[in-house]
Amino acid sequence: DIVCAAVSANLDLTSCLLADVLGLDIKTEVDDEQARIRIELPKKLDEADEMQAQNALDALMLYFVNLKARYQDFIEVMEV
């Protein structure tokens, strides 16, 4: 399924950016049954890391919103 592959690839990319490039200790939870994804940043970040991490998450969300516009019957996007 193209939507699943797109979501997985971009989640992996964002996780690599946050954890491997920025060196942040993130928590990523994937609930396959509910088809939900959660990325949690560390509680304490310096200002630069927080800005970079937020930019990465904003880009991921924008990607998901654009994906939903093209495949609205197959994806739901929520931010909590």
Side-chain angles (χ1 to χ4, degrees):
D1 173 56
I2 188 126
V3 175
C4 183
V7 168
S8 294
N10 282 281
L11 178 62
D12 287 346
L13 177 65
T14 303
S15 292
C16 286
L17 173 62
L18 293 170
D20 300 329
V21 175
L22 297 179
L24 302 180
D25 185 23
I26 63 168
K27 290 182 184 177
T28 303
E29 298 174 15
V30 177
D31 183 341
D32 292 325
E33 282 187 28
Q34 297 292 320
R36 293 178 192 245
I37 301 164
R38 177 183 171 89
I39 299 175
E40 187 176 323
L41 299 174
K43 301 252 185 262
K44 294 184 180 182
L45 292 175
D46 65 34
E47 188 174 331
D49 283 342
E50 185 174 353
M51 180 180 287
Q52 290 180 339
Q54 193 58 55
N55 285 341
L57 294 176
D58 288 346
L60 181 63
M61 179 59 79
L62 181 59
Y63 178 81
F64 288 159
V65 168
N66 288 335
L67 192 65
K68 179 176 176 41
R70 290 193 315 251
Y71 300 100
Q72 58 200 6
D73 293 337
F74 302 101
I75 185 171
E76 182 179 333
V77 178
M78 297 173 19
E79 184 176 2
V80 292

